[in-house]
């Protein structure tokens, strides 16, 4: 698997996980089973893509990217869809998450 394809799988895993979280919220604590089952299905697909990316991307980087993109994506979607307002500290926190993932990726790359 090429590095570009592995990163695409990783981005796809993060995207599927993000949509799964949106569906999980829509399931209202599994009171509405259809969105809940769809969320579980998307999480399984996300893990599949994450597993594929591990053929090329180190686990530490893959998990950090997946988690970081999920956190940042969920925060930005909640801002967009629910009108959540971010304080300067919240923006700083999101920036630190992004920076941490980038530093980890660069550190892993320099060990090769």
């Amino acid at each position: 698997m090429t590095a570009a394809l592995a990163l695409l799988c990783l981005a796809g895993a993060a995207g599927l996980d993000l949509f799964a979280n949106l569906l999980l919220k829509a399931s209202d604590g599994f009171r509405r089973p259809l969105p809940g089952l769809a969320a579980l299905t998307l999480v399984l697909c996300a893990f599949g893509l994450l597993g594929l990316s591990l053929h090329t991307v180190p686990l530490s980087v893959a998990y950090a990217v997946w988690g970081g993109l999920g956190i940042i994506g969920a925060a930005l979607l909640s801002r967009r869809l629910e009108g959540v307002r971010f304080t300067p500290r919240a923006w700083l926190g999101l920036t630190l998450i992004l920076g941490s993932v980038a530093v980890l990726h660069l550190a892993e790359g320099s060990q090769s």
Side-chain angles (χ1 to χ4, degrees), residues 8-112:
L8 187 62
C9 286
L10 191 52
L16 288 176
D17 187 53
L18 184 58
F19 285 119
N21 288 322
L22 290 174
L23 285 169
L24 191 59
K25 181 174 172 112
S27 77
D28 193 29
F30 287 100
R31 287 184 189 95
R32 298 178 56 219
L34 194 57
L37 290 173
L40 290 174
T41 302
L42 288 181
V43 166
L44 288 174
C45 293
F47 268 100
L49 287 176
L50 178 64
L52 287 175
S53 74
L54 293 178
H55 290 287
T56 305
V57 181
L59 176 62
S60 59
V61 173
Y63 195 72
V65 169
W66 184 46
L69 287 177
I71 292 167
I72 292 168
L76 294 177
L77 272 177
S78 67
R79 183 174 187 266
R80 175 83 170 158
L81 298 176
E82 298 174 5
V84 173
R85 305 203 30 94
F86 292 165
T87 64
R89 285 184 187 171
W91 284 112
L92 176 62
L94 292 175
T95 303
L96 288 172
I97 291 169
L98 189 60
S100 298
V101 171
V103 168
L104 181 61
H105 177 65
L106 292 173
E108 285 289 334
S110 68
Q111 292 179 6
S112 300

